[in-house]
Amino acid sequence: MANTLVVGAQWGDEGKGKIVDILTENSDIICRYQGGPNAGHTVVLKDKKFIFHLIPSGILHSNKLCIIGNGVVIDPQAMVLEMEDLKKGGVKIGKNLKVSKNAHLIMPYHKVLDKERETKLGKGKIGTTMRGVGPAYIDKIGRVGIRICDLMNEKIFREKIEENLLEKNFLIKNYFKAKPLSASQIFDEYMGYRRIIKPFFADIGEILKKAIISKKKLLFEGAQGSMLDVDHGTYPFVTSSNTTVGGVLTGLGIPLKQINDIIGISKAYTTRVGSGVFPTEVFGEDGEMLSSRGAEFGATTGRRRRCGWLDLMVLKYTIWINGINMLAITKLDVLDEFPKIKVCTGYELNGKKLKSFPIEHHILNKIKPVYKEIKGWCSSTFGVREYKALPKQAKDYLKFISDSLECKISIISTGAKREETVIV
């Protein structure tokens, strides 16, 4: 296997964790390149469920090196808690985990600001996880962020906390009418985290350069989905980082030519968490059936996901902006009991067919999806491991998707467990 990027092709929650876990077997290094503890990747091994927020899901393979790049914003408290939970589950964490010294930290004031801003937006809220991710990226771009390398120097770290709190506390106290934070308390708290996570800090750029020169196989693990990309997603209802292919380059510091394959992950239908446009959203009996059969609740927030039919306009768009050359279709078994399945093949606006995915939010709110109805298979695909064992109508459904998108389907997930997978 060449160096491979796994990227979400919808609005997140596509099942990237499971696919990364499968591909890890033939990889040497697994790298997270963006996002923060707002991610939620689930992997089921036998009867054990593991949920990853910051740490790459490749950590389940103890002989693989896992890397958290500079493009990720790190909450030390969340990282420590995640490590403790994984260790309780029998996962080994030691020299197999490295964290970029250039990665930015999520600070307590980021979480406060995230929560207060979202609350103040009321009905117009974004749907953030309120983990402080957005405000941390704001400070990064504003050049006032605090990095892990700053945490290593107590004098610099304290000075930066004090400087930032002059502005943050003014906002917290005077605009949001909330309780201001103490620089000393933050400093002491983070010094405690530093003692635990310091052994994992490293120069990731140098590690990856050596790995590439020595022909190691790299696997890049995206968080969220392409439609949540801050530049190319359904703005403003997006995340605060580049979830698409460009995020790999800036989030890890590697050259473009070192990405050989790009696998887009898509459910056999569509889901979305939080606010924002969702052209193929389904209500009523079909929506309830997708939700219940798919157990559609967020791994990070526990919020119920909105459900809808597969949207080929979205997939055509994300295939193009990422350069996706292979697809993994997950949760095919969720559709097992539908006698008829709808697939969105285009959009109409004021009676006219659109040629491409519109980027303007006010237009997206007015479009009408055009559907093709496909006969369901009404038999179980759950746990199927061979393509030939799939029902004919399920194969027809997958072929229609592949032909419409002009993109090969290389992996089909038929259940949550690692072994419940078809490799095509």
Side-chain angles (χ1 to χ4, degrees), residues 348-361:
E348 285 185 355
L349 179 65
N350 299 325
K352 293 182 179 180
K353 190 172 181 179
L354 300 181
K355 294 180 180 179
S356 60
F357 186 86
I359 59 172
E360 300 92 343
H361 199 264

Side-chain angles (χ1 to χ4, degrees), residues 209-235:
K209 180 181 176 182
K210 289 178 180 178
I212 289 169
I213 291 171
S214 60
K215 307 296 183 183
K216 297 288 187 183
K217 295 175 183 176
L218 310 183
L219 180 60
F220 309 110
E221 179 178 6
Q224 291 88 42
S226 296
M227 296 305 293
L228 293 176
D229 185 280
V230 68
D231 287 300
H232 303 290
T234 46
Y235 191 90

Side-chain angles (χ1 to χ4, degrees), residues 98-166:
K98 300 293 180 186
V99 182
S100 173
K101 292 188 286 187
N102 283 339
H104 281 246
L105 292 167
I106 295 175
M107 305 297 291
Y109 46 78
H110 291 140
K111 297 178 192 177
V112 173
L113 291 171
D114 206 4
K115 181 182 177 181
E116 295 297 336
R117 283 173 181 157
E118 187 77 344
T119 302
K120 205 168 185 68
L121 285 171
K123 292 182 179 179
K125 65 182 180 180
I126 300 297
T128 172
T129 58
M130 294 189 276
R131 303 294 174 96
V133 173
Y137 276 118
I138 290 172
D139 277 4
K140 177 179 179 176
I141 300 303
R143 295 167 295 180
V144 294
I146 300 178
R147 298 183 295 171
I148 281 177
C149 56
D150 299 321
L151 183 63
M152 302 310 297
N153 186 308
E154 294 185 19
K155 182 175 182 294
I156 291 174
F157 185 63
R158 184 182 285 275
E159 287 175 353
K160 289 200 169 188
I161 294 173
E162 291 173 350
E163 287 171 8
N164 281 351
L165 276 183
L166 290 175

Side-chain angles (χ1 to χ4, degrees), residues 27 86 174 210 230 262 422:
S27 305
L86 289 172
N174 297 291
K210 289 178 180 178
V230 68
I262 303 176
V422 176

Side-chain angles (χ1 to χ4, degrees), residues 301-320:
T301 63
R303 288 181 294 182
R304 182 172 179 168
R305 298 177 185 132
R306 299 154 65 192
C307 296
W309 299 117
L310 189 66
D311 191 332
L312 297 185
M313 290 292 281
V314 164
L315 292 180
K316 285 177 181 178
Y317 175 67
T318 58
I319 284 170
W320 170 251

